[in-house]
Structures are given as C-alpha cells and as structure tokens.
Amino acid sequence: WGVPGALWLGTGLCVLSFASNVASTLLDKTEGMKAGLSEAANEEEVSIRDVLKLRRQFWYLAGLCVAIYCAILPFNNIASAYFV
C-alpha cells in the first residue's frame, strides 16, 4: 500500500473523526432540548474552599500524575538513547 495508502487511511480516519464529532454535537443539542436543558444548566461558582475539600484520593492521583509527567517521562526520553 505504501505512502498513498497511509495517506488515504489517515484522511479517512480524520473524516470519520470529524463526522463523529458533528454527530455527537447534534445529538447532544437535540437530546438536551428534549430534556429541557439550557446551554448553561449550572451557573454555580466554584471557590478555592470547594477545591480544597476534595477527597484525599484525588490529591494522591493528582500528585502521581505530576510526578510521572515531571520526573519519569523526561527520564525515559533522556535515557532511551542509553538503552537502545
């Protein structure tokens, strides 16, 4: 298939993704209107105190994500040259 086949496959996947996005948006709007929901259903403000009241598991998960992105991924990018 080669390069032209890969380009056609990529183009097809992009078109499929775009069509799915449009269908999802239309479905969301029509089902929202049927359910009587407005565009901004909840105008409630979030304060810092609300954020700080999140459960401990959330903060562990957030810290783990920060550790992975700040420490492990850069190490893998630098060290990959030595492990090849």
Side-chain angles (χ1 to χ4, degrees), residues 11-78:
T11 302
L13 289 174
C14 285
V15 169
L16 178 67
S17 174
F18 179 75
S20 297
N21 190 13
V22 169
S24 174
T25 302
L26 292 175
L27 185 64
D28 182 48
K29 285 189 183 271
T30 56
E31 292 299 319
M33 282 196 246
K34 285 181 187 176
L37 299 175
S38 66
E39 284 292 320
N42 193 356
E43 297 281 334
E44 192 174 312
E45 289 187 28
V46 178
S47 69
I48 294 295
R49 290 181 189 213
D50 293 336
V51 173
L52 294 176
K53 289 180 185 177
L54 291 172
R55 295 173 49 184
R56 187 178 303 158
Q57 290 88 353
F58 169 78
W59 293 110
Y60 287 152
L61 184 61
L64 183 63
C65 290
V66 169
I68 288 173
Y69 280 106
C70 292
I72 297 171
L73 290 178
F75 172 77
N76 284 339
N77 290 337
I78 294 169

